[in-house]
Amino acid sequence: MTRARSDEVYVVGCGMHPFGRDETVTGMDMAERAVREALRDAGVAWADIGYAAGGSDVSGKPDTMVGRLGLTGVPFVNVQNGCATGASTVLAVANALRAGEAALGLAVGFDKHGRGAFNASPARYGLGDWYAETGMMLTTQFFALKTRRYLHEHGISERALAMAAARAFRNGSEHPMAWRRKPLTVQEILDSAEVSPPLTQYMFCSPGQGAVALVLALGDRAFDLCERPVRLASVALRTRRFGSFEVFAPWLPPGPHRSPTVDAAEAVFRAADVRPADVQVAQVQDTDSGSELIHLAETGLCGHGEQEELLAAGETDPTGRLPVNTDGGCLAGGEPVGASGLRQFHEVVRQLQGRAPGAQVPGGPRVGFTHVYGAPGISACSVLTV
């Protein structure tokens, strides 16, 4: 049997509450369901968990979940880190396991957002009311500006935006945990209501509801619990540098600039000792389809300007060379902020184990990648392997 190094961390259990809208349960109810499913998947009890971290943007304090799961005295850290919340919980648990605080840990994220666009306060991001009065606190405006600039710089057509969205909805239609389960054609997406040019209604994700939990194990314990544990080869999180063009910081100085996604991706591939070309299944943040195109290149998964050709050739489909967002991503799943990053882990882990709930990538993929990006310019990436 394969044995592990004593400092290696593995995912040995996954649980998920379906994404979408369920008015019969609270966000905490969703989280409890995801945790109990992850514990069952790993074949362990809550009392076995030695360290936990949880994240939620609007749906409560995750550590209060111990009142439902059991008062065991477990260290439980609350995390709130925007769209990087889920990845941050994984990083917190993995670091605690490597530091010797426990041999078994749990990461959970959940949220239950209301209908309509996110309504962020400018003061929360250190901005004056004038910024909101310009309309730029509405993230659809920012992402449209960023996408328009990117398409112009790299010679990409608006049709590529629709192709990315159409693939997301195809994948979502096959995934039992996705919210949007109806496939849409490229033309239907192009013809849908214009929200912020060049982005139409079906090129945006929606704030949503859902929960995901992971059980992580250290070293040989992982192989005692799981037939095919998935190694957390590396996780990296970065914030913005001076001059990067980000949500709620939409300005650019003259000269070159780097996004936090570029920094996080370079760090994670270096730490895992793999190349972007080695990735066989990927999750990238698709708050809108323009963001997906940008992030594919910023992570190194393709070159700038190559995205349209990849999409047209079916290379990002589950059967293609670089399967992307095989569960439908944020476009089909919506974005409950606390759970969204962990959804990516859930999907990649299941793909690498050969038990994806939706379309399974053929050929036994062995290297997976996740990427999240959010306000005010934070990115987290991970590499997972079997």
Side-chain angles (χ1 to χ4, degrees):
M1 178 184 292
T2 302
R3 307 312 288 181
R5 281 191 354 220
S6 61
D7 62 343
E8 288 182 333
V9 175
Y10 294 81
V11 180
V12 295
C14 300
M16 182 172 178
H17 186 286
F19 279 26
R21 296 204 179 276
D22 185 346
E23 303 309 329
T24 67
V25 295
T26 66
M28 199 70 75
D29 292 334
M30 295 179 182
E32 181 184 356
R33 172 174 166 177
V35 169
R36 294 193 184 280
E37 183 180 321
L39 293 171
R40 282 194 300 272
D41 193 40
V44 300
W46 171 244
D48 298 320
I49 299 298
Y51 192 94
S56 177
D57 190 55
V58 299
S59 295
K61 284 170 51 61
D63 65 308
T64 63
M65 207 178 305
V66 299
R68 296 169 175 238
L69 299 169
L71 301 177
T72 64
V74 62
F76 199 126
V77 175
N78 291 331
V79 177
Q80 191 177 43
N81 212 10
C83 296
T85 294
S88 298
T89 65
V90 173
L91 184 60
V93 173
N95 285 343
L97 299 189
R98 292 191 183 105
E101 294 197 35
L104 205 60
L106 182 130
V108 59
F110 61 98
D111 259 312
K112 186 179 175 72
H113 299 292
R115 297 180 183 275
F118 289 120
N119 186 24
S121 162
R124 186 178 179 185
Y125 292 91
L127 298 166
D129 289 342
W130 65 268
Y131 188 77
E133 291 164 3
T134 67
M136 290 302 294
M137 288 304 293
L138 194 62
T139 54
T140 52
Q141 302 273 48
F142 166 80
F143 286 116
L145 284 174
K146 190 171 184 177
T147 295
R148 177 72 81 190
R149 178 188 178 94
Y150 189 83
L151 297 186
H152 172 75
E153 286 184 336
H154 299 287
I156 300 171
S157 78
E158 294 179 16
R159 189 172 183 82
L161 301 171
M163 286 193 287
R167 190 214 59 242
F169 291 122
R170 282 197 306 273
N171 291 349
S173 71
E174 297 187 46
H175 202 286
M177 300 293 184
W179 181 12
R180 308 297 190 193
R181 304 289 302 281
K182 179 184 176 182
L184 295 171
T185 67
V186 167
Q187 198 59 48
E188 286 174 323
I189 293 165
L190 286 170
D191 291 342
S192 65
E194 196 172 69
V195 178
S196 293
L199 299 169
T200 67
Q201 176 182 355
Y202 295 121
M203 295 175 187
F204 281 105
C205 78
S206 298
Q209 304 172 3
V212 183
L214 305 177
V215 175
L216 285 76
L218 186 67
D220 285 344
R221 182 74 189 278
F223 289 85
D224 295 334
L225 295 171
C226 183
E227 181 179 343
R228 194 171 174 81
V230 173
R231 184 170 72 101
L232 185 64
S234 59
V235 185
L237 186 146
R238 295 292 187 272
T239 57
R240 66 192 187 277
R241 294 177 185 245
F242 172 80
S244 59
F245 186 58
E246 313 300 344
V247 185
F248 307 146
W251 60 279
L252 278 172
H257 57 89
R258 287 169 64 92
S259 79
T261 288
V262 173
D263 288 337
E266 287 184 357
V268 84
F269 284 122
R270 183 169 57 249
D273 195 25
V274 301
R275 303 168 301 155
D278 297 325
V279 172
Q280 296 166 302
V281 57
Q283 287 273 349
V284 299
Q285 180 87 14
D286 58 339
T287 308
D288 60 277
S289 52
S291 291
E292 178 186 305
L293 302 187
I294 294 168
H295 295 144
L296 281 171
E298 288 186 339
T299 57
L301 295 174
C302 74
H304 292 287
E306 296 177 0
Q307 299 93 325
E308 188 163 3
E309 183 178 346
L310 288 175
L311 288 161
E315 295 282 30
T316 65
D317 291 348
T319 55
R321 176 176 61 81
L322 178 62
V324 174
N325 296 346
T326 46
D327 59 351
C330 289
L331 288 174
E335 188 173 24
V337 168
S340 189
L342 286 172
R343 171 191 55 76
Q344 296 185 337
F345 279 89
H346 184 282
E347 175 66 10
V348 170
V349 167
R350 292 293 185 94
Q351 289 285 351
L352 298 184
Q353 291 176 329
R355 54 177 189 142
Q360 173 67 53
V361 172
R366 300 184 63 83
V367 180
F369 173 79
T370 73
H371 158 267
V372 293
Y373 166 86
I378 186 169
S379 184
C381 298
S382 76
V383 172
L384 299 123
T385 64
V386 291

